[in-house]
Amino acid sequence: IAGNRYYCKMDWKQIIAEIQRHGQMTQAQIAAAVECGQATISDLAKGSTKQPNYALGAALLKKLEQVKTAPPPATPAQAATETVAGGG
């Protein structure tokens, strides 16, 4: 985590927003991915919880890196086009 650019800032509202934007994920999906409750993600996103525990913080930062480096998910229209073009 120490090498992560968010380590000093720890702006969890921003981190959650970026995971949602880059990963096209809901709060519930983020919660499932990092193994916590959706209410915990909601509280961090609203700022009512300022700091997660270390394990959750590490999992959120790892998820952020994953979604930022992964190719964007296909939209339904793109998926349909790929299926037709691929013969499937």
Side-chain angles (χ1 to χ4, degrees), residues 18-26 29 67 72-75:
E18 287 198 34
I19 293 171
Q20 288 183 295
R21 186 174 75 245
H22 289 287
Q24 297 182 356
M25 298 175 76
T26 65
Q29 290 169 322
V67 299
T75 64

Side-chain angles (χ1 to χ4, degrees), residues 17-49:
E18 287 198 34
I19 293 171
Q20 288 183 295
R21 186 174 75 245
H22 289 287
Q24 297 182 356
M25 298 175 76
T26 65
Q27 289 182 358
Q29 290 169 322
I30 295 169
V34 299
E35 299 180 352
C36 74
Q38 186 272 330
T40 301
I41 299 300
S42 176
D43 288 346
L44 287 166
K46 291 185 297 188
S48 57
T49 296

Side-chain angles (χ1 to χ4, degrees), residues 24 71-83:
Q24 297 182 356
T75 64
Q78 288 172 326
T81 301
E82 290 170 6
T83 301

